[in-house]
Amino acid sequence: MNSKLSVGVLGIQGDIEENKTVTQEALNHSNVKGDVKFVRYAEEIEKIDGLILPGGESTVISTLATIQGGILHTIKRRIAEGMPVLGTCAGMIMLAKRAYDRVVGETRQQLLSNLDIVVERNAFGRQDDSFEAKLSIPILGKNNEFFKGVFIRAPIVIEAGAAVDIIAKFNNRIVGVRQGNVIGTSFHPELSGDDRIHRQFIKTVLDCKRHKGVQQI
């Protein structure tokens, strides 16, 4: 088994550079050999060990991904096969099975539906209503150190299936979930100056690759 990880950041729109930078930091802090690359085509997504769906504008990302050779189908299949994914803000919306907007109601954007959640977009308001909050996220460790959640036109999870673990709340609203190898956050960990969520994602990718390696022996 090749121990070097290959992590892709969907490089279509949004805070892609920030995700690439913090993922490389997470690899370094975890003492894991690997590379981080932008992926935009189906053949690139076939070759990675884990994928990050960045924050940005979910409708734009979904539309451009559909135009770009229909890569959403490849992403959906690879997630269903077990590829670990981290979706932040818009990325979490893309992973959901249904999405609503506070103003326009149910959206018609194309979603991956790999994460058994329903989300409400812009649940805290628009750009001017952006804020930061201290979050307790137990999966990051037992030292009780808060994580700085950066909320920008953030969604919330209004329904979660039985297989979905709730990993973070803010004011009793669900802002972080995990289902198998899929992690979704309403906030932007890539903008927090804290790489712990990305380190948790790297651990998930590494564990998945090791498990596959054992199965292939």
Side-chain angles (χ1 to χ4, degrees):
M1 180 187 70
N2 182 4
S3 60
K4 187 174 182 180
L5 294 188
S6 178
V7 179
V9 177
L10 187 62
I12 292 177
Q13 190 268 346
D15 46 11
I16 59 177
E17 291 285 354
E18 293 86 348
N19 267 293
K20 184 178 180 183
T21 298
V22 73
T23 304
Q24 191 61 62
E25 290 174 356
L27 284 167
N28 295 341
H29 290 165
S30 302
N31 294 314
V32 175
K33 292 181 180 180
D35 56 52
V36 188
K37 62 186 76 174
F38 297 133
V39 291
R40 301 179 179 89
Y41 301 100
E43 57 267 28
E44 295 173 324
I45 292 162
E46 296 284 10
K47 298 175 183 177
I48 57 176
D49 300 307
L51 177 66
I52 294 175
L53 301 176
E57 173 47 59
S58 61
T59 305
V60 173
I61 296 172
S62 296
T63 301
L64 292 177
T66 302
I67 295 171
Q68 199 117 320
I71 62 172
L72 286 183
H73 297 293
T74 304
I75 293 172
K76 182 172 183 174
R77 174 179 55 77
R78 288 230 50 210
I79 298 172
E81 292 170 349
M83 178 180 69
V85 176
L86 170 63
T88 71
C89 197
M92 184 178 76
I93 294 172
M94 289 179 63
L95 287 165
K97 64 179 183 180
R98 293 176 69 190
Y100 294 88
D101 188 277
R102 297 181 71 200
V103 178
V104 301
E106 187 160 4
T107 68
R108 296 181 180 272
Q109 69 191 99
Q110 190 166 354
L111 302 173
L112 292 164
S113 303
N114 294 94
L115 193 49
D116 188 13
I117 59 172
V118 178
V119 298
E120 179 186 326
R121 302 189 340 169
N122 303 310
F124 297 101
R126 298 290 175 175
Q127 194 81 16
D128 292 343
D129 301 304
S130 301
F131 65 96
E132 297 178 359
K134 291 181 178 179
L135 303 175
S136 174
I137 307 179
I139 68 166
L140 299 182
K142 299 179 180 179
N143 59 4
N144 295 320
E145 183 180 347
F146 287 110
F147 190 94
K148 183 175 76 174
V150 179
F151 293 83
I152 304 171
R153 296 180 62 189
I156 58 168
V157 176
I158 56 176
E159 292 181 28
V164 177
D165 294 321
I166 297 167
I167 63 172
K169 285 186 175 183
F170 174 70
N171 286 350
N172 289 319
R173 303 168 106 178
I174 302 170
V175 296
V177 292
R178 182 169 194 165
Q179 181 180 342
N181 288 335
V182 180
I183 301 171
T185 68
S186 300
F187 50 94
H188 292 261
E190 67 276 8
L191 302 180
S192 67
D194 186 335
D195 70 352
R196 283 181 293 156
I197 283 180
H198 284 74
R199 271 189 270 166
Q200 183 68 34
F201 175 64
I202 292 299
K203 181 181 182 301
T204 302
V205 178
L206 192 62
D207 289 347
C208 181
K209 188 165 186 179
R210 283 173 175 161
H211 181 65
K212 283 175 122 180
V214 170
Q215 286 184 323
Q216 291 169 2
I217 292 174

